[in-house]
Amino acid sequence: MVRRDLGLNRRVFLKAVGLVGIAAAEPAFAQLFVNIQGVGANQFPIAVQPFFGNSEASENIAEIIGNDLVRSGFFRLVSCDAATALDKDPDWKALSTAGVGAFADGSVIRTADGRYEIKFRLFDPVKKQETDEASYISPKDDLRLYAHKIADRIFERLTGEKGDFATRIAYVSQQAKNNYAIMVADSDGYNPQVAPSHQTSDYFLSIGLPTADRLPTPHSRQANRPFGFMI
C-alpha cells in the first residue's frame, strides 16, 4: 500500500500548500512555488504521461497534474514514455526499468459543442494492472479545474487521503504602500482575483471560503513573511 511508503502527515501537507509565498506584490506573478522539506527521502515515484490529443486544448493537463502532485511533497515525477494507446496497457518493461511506482495517462478530446472530454487512467506497474480510471466533460474555461480534480483523485487513490488541489485559496496581497487587497486564487496560485471590497464576506461564502475576517491581516503577520489561508 503506497500510503505506508509515503509516511503521510496530513497537517504537513496542508501547511506546505497553504502557508507559502503566494502574496506577491505583483498579482500577475501567479504561479505557486513551494519549497518542501522533510519528506524527500519518502517521495513516491510517479510518471504522468502527456495526454493524447492535448495539443488541441489550451491547458497542459498532464503538466498541471504532475505539478500538483510534486507540490504536495509526497511525489516525485519520473520521465518515462510508456504510453502505447489509450485502450492498451502501458509498456510495463519501460516502467519497471525507470523505477516508476505509479503511472497515469489519458486523453483530451474536443466535443462538437466546444467542451472537452478528459479521460485518465492510473496503473500499478508492480502489479501490472489498472487501478483507476475516470472521464470528465469540461467547459473550455475549466480545464485547469478538471486537471486539479484528476490530481485529487490520484492523490487519494495512492495515499488514502483526500487531495486539496481543486480548492481555492485566499491571501492578502500588498498592492502599494499601506494598500492591501484580499485575493482569491486556485490552489496553485493561478487565476487570482481581487475579492470585492464592499461585499468581501458574502463573496467568500459564495465560493466556499471562510469569511474574510478569518484571514491574517498585515498587522498580525511577521515582518516580510507571506500570509494566507487555504480551506
Side-chain angles (χ1 to χ4, degrees):
M1 185 69 176
V2 174
R3 67 187 303 179
R4 291 182 301 182
D5 297 331
L6 291 177
L8 278 174
N9 183 319
R10 184 63 170 167
R11 290 187 297 275
V12 171
F13 171 70
L14 288 174
K15 289 179 181 178
V17 177
L19 302 178
V20 291
I22 283 281
E26 294 293 335
F29 186 72
Q31 187 174 4
L32 174 60
F33 294 94
V34 182
N35 181 20
I36 303 292
Q37 296 180 346
V39 294
N42 296 319
Q43 287 177 331
F44 189 77
I46 185 170
V48 183
Q49 188 79 16
F51 280 28
F52 294 104
N54 203 144
S55 60
E56 301 297 320
S58 59
E59 300 287 353
N60 188 325
I61 303 300
E63 182 178 79
I64 296 170
I65 294 170
N67 288 342
D68 280 347
L69 296 174
V70 168
R71 197 171 66 253
S72 75
F74 297 115
F75 295 89
R76 61 179 175 87
L77 288 180
V78 178
S79 179
C80 182
D81 187 7
T84 52
L86 195 60
D87 59 345
K88 296 182 180 179
D89 288 342
D91 185 338
W92 300 120
K93 184 177 180 180
L95 292 173
S96 177
T97 300
V100 176
F103 176 77
D105 68 4
S107 65
V108 184
I109 301 174
R110 187 170 185 175
T111 61
D113 61 3
R115 297 184 296 173
Y116 290 87
E117 182 181 20
I118 306 174
K119 295 181 179 180
F120 98 96
R121 304 183 301 171
L122 183 66
F123 295 91
D124 183 336
V126 176
K127 296 181 178 179
K128 296 183 179 181
Q129 65 183 27
E130 181 179 319
T131 58
D132 196 15
E133 65 177 348
S135 178
Y136 304 89
I137 298 295
S138 168
K140 63 178 182 179
D141 294 332
D142 288 340
L143 288 170
R144 294 192 66 86
L145 172 62
Y146 281 88
H148 291 317
K149 287 179 180 289
I150 294 173
D152 281 339
R153 183 159 178 150
I154 293 174
F155 187 91
E156 182 173 6
R157 182 71 181 182
L158 295 179
T159 70
E161 299 281 336
K162 289 186 176 297
D164 300 280
F165 308 119
T167 58
R168 311 293 303 280
I169 58 173
Y171 58 95
V172 180
S173 174
Q174 183 173 2
Q175 307 295 302
K177 185 177 181 180
N178 297 323
N179 182 10
Y180 297 85
I182 297 176
M183 308 294 294
V184 177
D186 296 345
S187 67
D188 57 0
Y190 278 87
N191 302 320
Q193 301 175 21
V194 177
S197 59
H198 64 286
Q199 53 181 12
T200 303
S201 294
D202 290 341
Y203 175 75
F204 271 43
L205 290 172
S206 72
I207 61 173
L209 283 168
T211 55
D213 56 9
R214 292 183 57 188
L215 282 176
T217 66
H219 304 291
S220 65
R221 71 188 180 102
Q222 299 180 29
N224 300 320
R225 295 287 182 87
F227 47 100
F229 192 96
M230 177 179 181
I231 56 173

